[in-house]
Amino acid sequence: MRDLLLQCSGVAAIAVALIHGVLGETKVFARATIEPPRLRQLIRLVWQAGTVAWIGGGVLLIAAPWMASEPARHWIIVTLAVVFGFAALANAWAMRGRHFGWVALSGVVALAVAGY
């Protein structure tokens, strides 16, 4: 059961990352006015670097149950719980709780910790 919870957290992490990337492109950067254009491209790429990193974290959470190493499982879960937990807190604080992102990120953390 704990393996299934951990893998569900990985799938949720990938889903959150994809939503983050798509909404960034369609809602945030579609309306943002950032000058000079090179700075706009840099900010857009940094935004998407977070998306790619979260997808990588989701893949690790999905793969962790098949690793033959309890220490690897432990550190994957601890590291990604901190990463997604920080993102959830930052989102809740910055948006004053009026954004669904912190709930989705907290769900990833809860599932990962439950799968520990």
Side-chain angles (χ1 to χ4, degrees):
M1 183 63 169
R2 71 185 194 128
D3 290 349
L4 183 61
L5 288 169
L6 193 55
Q7 291 172 327
C8 286
S9 75
V11 170
I14 292 169
V16 167
L18 292 173
I19 291 167
H20 176 264
V22 169
L23 290 180
E25 291 297 326
T26 60
K27 301 291 184 194
V28 176
F29 292 110
R31 290 188 259 166
T33 305
I34 303 168
E35 294 295 331
R38 276 187 10 183
L39 182 59
R40 177 183 173 86
Q41 185 172 10
L42 174 66
I43 293 171
R44 185 182 234 160
L45 291 172
V46 169
W47 180 287
Q48 295 304 342
T51 300
V52 172
W54 287 356
I55 290 170
V59 170
L60 286 174
L61 288 167
I62 291 169
W66 293 309
M67 294 180 183
S69 170
E70 274 303 309
R73 179 188 183 107
H74 167 83
W75 286 111
I76 288 169
I77 295 169
V78 168
T79 301
L80 292 171
V82 169
V83 168
F84 281 95
F86 178 79
L89 289 172
N91 184 289
W93 177 68
M95 302 304 273
R96 296 192 170 110
R98 295 184 307 254
H99 188 273
F100 69 91
W102 73 270
V103 176
L105 292 162
S106 296
V108 172
V109 174
L111 285 168
V113 170
Y116 184 72

